[in-house]
């Protein structure tokens, strides 16, 4: 809903060791590395030489080129994530090694490299290692990783990614079922202004005003055509109403049928005329309709609910602790 996100970091055994609550959207491409630094700062109190060296296993929501570039700019953390189906293209593949079988499943693996373009910086390309998985039952999965080919084989990369479900997400689902970990505390208590939406609305209003001034003559022509079209549609409706339908066929007097057909041809002629007017200024009309749709979408979003981040983090900490205590009790005493 764009109002809150809870971001959890698990260890390799599925234990949530760190979490943060965000009032609004939490872009992982921005916060991934900062989360790791915060975890290291907390661990320094336990042992001065402790630092994070694990591979970050992330789902497809974190595979933007911006995130991959941020992770590639440092040497501390490696990553494994998936590639969206719409980003896969044979033309982007640089090379692929000889195929090999997956050691822990029924699939054939292809180790290679792919070129990806940063959507926020046109023309900026990055080269990323890929592991293409062709499952025996016909499905395809493509993984991206920064792990070097010479050190970590493709089977271990695939195993590292799919171990995420039983070792992390399964235990997280159990926490949600037992302690309602996904329930938000402190949401919906107070309404606040959303200055970002206000600013976007004003920008769109200015753009619409400029476009409407540029398209003043074509818009007047469309208004005239629309008036003619409205009159013809009313006339067509009257002619249709005096007819009757039997066995899927329209039955009416020959003179009325001819008038209906003439009216239909005139309506189609007006439609073609309106399309011709828009085609002469195609780019401007597309921008006009797009800005109008964006302006309409932002209506009613000028005010949003404020989230009590501190309250939610306190309650989440309590729920996780309660789950751990109950799990310990079940294991040791029952």
């Amino acid at each position: 809903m764009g109002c809150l996100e809870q971001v959890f970091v698990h260890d390799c055994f599925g234990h949530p060791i760190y979490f943060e609550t965000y009032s609004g959207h939490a872009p992982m491409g921005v916060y991934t590395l900062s989360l790791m630094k915060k975890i290291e700062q907390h661990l320094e109190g336990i042992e001065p030489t402790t630092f994070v060296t694990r591979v970050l296993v992330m789902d497809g929501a974190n595979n933007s080129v911006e995130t991959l570039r941020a992770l590639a700019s440092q040497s501390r953390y490696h990553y494994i994530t998936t590639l969206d189906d719409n980003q896969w293209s044979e033309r982007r593949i640089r090379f692929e090694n000889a195929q090999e079988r997956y050691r822990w499943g029924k699939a054939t693996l292809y180790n290679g490299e792919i070129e990806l373009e940063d959507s926020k910086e046109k023309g900026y390309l990055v080269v990323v290692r890929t592991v293409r998985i062709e499952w025996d039952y016909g499905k395809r999965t493509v993984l991206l990783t920064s792990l070097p080919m010479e050190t970590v084989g493709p089977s271990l990369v695939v195993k590292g990614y799919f171990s995420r479900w039983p070792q992390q997400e399964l235990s997280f689902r159990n926490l949600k079922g037992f302690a309602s970990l996904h329930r938000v505390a402190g949401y919906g208590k107070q309404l606040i202004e959303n200055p970002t939406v206000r600013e976007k609305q004003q920008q769109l209003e200015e753009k619409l005003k400029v476009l409407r001034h540029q398209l003043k003559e074509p818009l007047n022509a469309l208004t005239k055509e629309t008036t003619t079209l409205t009159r013809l549609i009313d006339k067509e409706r009257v002619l249709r109403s005096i007819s009757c339908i039997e066995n899927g066929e329209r039955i009416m007097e020959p003179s009325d049928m001819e008038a209906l057909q003439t009216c239909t041809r005139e309506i189609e002629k007006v439609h073609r005329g309106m399309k011709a007017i828009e085609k002469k200024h195609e780019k401007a009309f597309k921008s006009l309709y797009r800005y109008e749709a964006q302006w309409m979408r932002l209506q009613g979003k000028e005010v949003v609910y404020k989230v009590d981040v501190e309250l939610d983090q306190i309650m989440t900490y309590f729920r996780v602790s309660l789950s751990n205590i109950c799990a310990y009790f079940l294991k040791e005493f029952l």
Side-chain angles (χ1 to χ4, degrees), residues 8 15-17 19 175 178-181 312-329:
F8 281 81
H15 306 131
I17 58 174
F19 72 92
L175 286 173
F178 174 73
S180 298
L181 195 62
D312 183 73
Q313 294 197 155
I314 291 171
M315 290 302 299
T316 304
Y317 183 82
F318 169 76
R319 287 166 176 163
V320 173
S321 302
L322 176 63
S323 301
N324 289 334
I325 292 171
C326 293
Y328 177 80
F329 179 79

Side-chain angles (χ1 to χ4, degrees), residues 65-66 69 116-126:
V65 177
E66 180 186 13
R69 287 176 62 182
L116 299 175
E117 183 177 359
D118 193 341
S119 59
K120 295 185 177 180
E121 189 174 341
K122 197 67 176 177
Y124 191 97
L125 299 175
V126 296

Side-chain angles (χ1 to χ4, degrees), residues 159-172:
K159 185 177 185 296
Y161 180 79
F162 287 103
S163 296
R164 176 175 59 98
W165 166 250
Q167 294 180 352
Q168 293 182 0
E169 294 188 11
L170 183 60
S171 61
F172 190 76

Side-chain angles (χ1 to χ4, degrees), residues 208 211-212 215 219 283-293:
L208 287 169
L211 281 172
R212 288 189 179 281
L215 297 172
L219 287 172
K283 187 176 180 180
F285 270 107
K286 282 185 177 180
S287 299
L288 177 68
Y289 297 147
R290 185 173 70 254
Y291 293 150
E292 285 179 341

